[in-house]
Structures are given as structure tokens and as C-alpha cells.
């Protein structure tokens, strides 16, 4: 996580978490992160791997040229990328991991932009993680960004982070599982086209 907005959202989430696996949805106070809301979203897990947007910031919707509320988060990704995103979401929901990475997005006229994303676990009711607090921010946004909607995105890299360190079931005697977990969530860098950024 490199973008200032992403780091700030993570710091806020981690402070509210206060050592727990995840904070509760109702502990998130929009007024405390008002400057970040346009780049953030909340998605609800109905059943893995489906995560439907419940809220999406104005900037995020503007990038895609449509209202995202009610849309499945997975539908934004190409078929080739959905396995990686699904595995990441599975680790967030089941293990309290934080997902992060970047993607390349393209417009109809083949303009490209690079974005960073973060996926932070939330608990809505009970004790199970069933919400995601997310952020999507442009990296070095080009001058044209927002003038035409993004029509496709391609995962560039994705990773997992455990705020309190890798959980016990992935360390110690299970070193091979820990190694596989680290390797499983790195994908080779790529692009949507051979065009230069415009």
C-alpha cells in the first residue's frame, strides 16, 4: 500500500480494530474519514465469492461511469483475474487478512491508468467477517482520467497482509503452507494493451 489515501484508510481501520481480527461495520464513522469517502466503498458478502457493493464513493463510481451500488465486485474483474481476487477475498473473510494490490484500467479509446486498491475486513453482525471496506485510488492520475469511463481492468499484482503477523496455522511446523500462502497471492505484472499511457 503506497498511496496516501490507502495508508490513511488502513491506519484508521487498524486503530478501530484495536487488536481484534476486524472492527465492526458500525464503528466506522464517515465523518472521521470524510476526505477519503470518495475513494472508498463497502461491499457485502452474500456468499463467497460474491461481494455486492452496498456503498461506493463518488470518485470510484465516476471512474467506471456508473453507479456501483448493488453490483458484484467480482464482475469488475476479467475471468482470468477472478480466481486471484476470489482467493484473496476468501483469506480476508476466513483469516482476517488485508488484501492489497494494483490494476491497470483501460477506456474505450485505449487510454490506460494504474490504480491501487485495498480490501479491509469488517464485521457487520455476529463474529464473522461479512463486509469489506475498500479503497480504489489512481496512481499518478493522467489528465484525462474521469473524462471517459473505464471499461476493463486487469490485475497487475495482489498480496495479503496480516496486521498481527502471519497466523499460527501458517507458521511453525506448517512452514510449507506459509510459503505457499505468500506465493499464491503474487501474480506476474501485465497490461491490457501494448499502448503507452496516454
Amino acid at each position: 500500500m503506497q498511496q496516501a489515501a490507502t495508508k490513511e484508510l488502513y491506519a484508521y481501520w487498524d486503530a478501530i480494530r484495536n487488536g481484534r481480527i476486524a472492527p465492526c461495520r458500525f464503528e466506522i464513522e464517515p465523518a472521521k474519514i470524510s476526505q477519503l469517502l470518495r475513494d472508498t466503498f463497502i461491499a457485502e458478502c452474500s456468499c463467497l465469492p460474491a461481494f455486492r457493493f452496498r456503498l461506493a464513493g463518488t470518485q470510484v463510481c465516476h471512474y467506471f461511469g456508473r453507479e456501483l451500488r448493488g453490483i458484484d465486485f467480482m464482475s469488475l474483474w476479467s475471468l482470468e483475474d477472478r480466481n486471484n481476487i476470489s482467493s484473496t477475498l476468501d483469506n480476508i473473510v476466513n483469516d482476517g487478512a488485508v488484501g492489497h494490490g494494483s490494476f491497470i484500467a483501460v477506456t474505450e479509446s485505449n487510454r490506460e491508468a494504474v490504480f491501487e486498491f485495498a480490501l479491509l475486513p469488517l464485521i457487520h453482525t455476529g463474529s464473522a467477517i461479512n463486509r469489506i471496506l475498500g479503497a480504489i485510488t489512481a496512481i499518478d492520475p493522467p489528465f484525462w482520467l474521469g473524462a471517459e469511463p473505464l471499461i476493463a481492468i486487469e490485475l497487475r499484482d495482489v498480496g495479503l497482509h496480516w496486521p498481527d503477523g502471519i497466523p499460527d496455522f501458517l507458521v511453525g511446523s506448517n512452514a510449507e503452507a506459509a510459503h505457499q500462502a505468500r506465493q499464491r497471492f503474487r501474480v506476474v505484472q501485465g497490461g491490457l494493451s501494448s499502448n503507452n499511457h496516454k
Side-chain angles (χ1 to χ4, degrees), residues 162-179:
W162 283 274
D164 298 319
I166 296 176
D168 291 343
F169 70 88
L170 289 178
V171 296
S173 61
N174 206 358
E176 179 59 26
H179 175 73

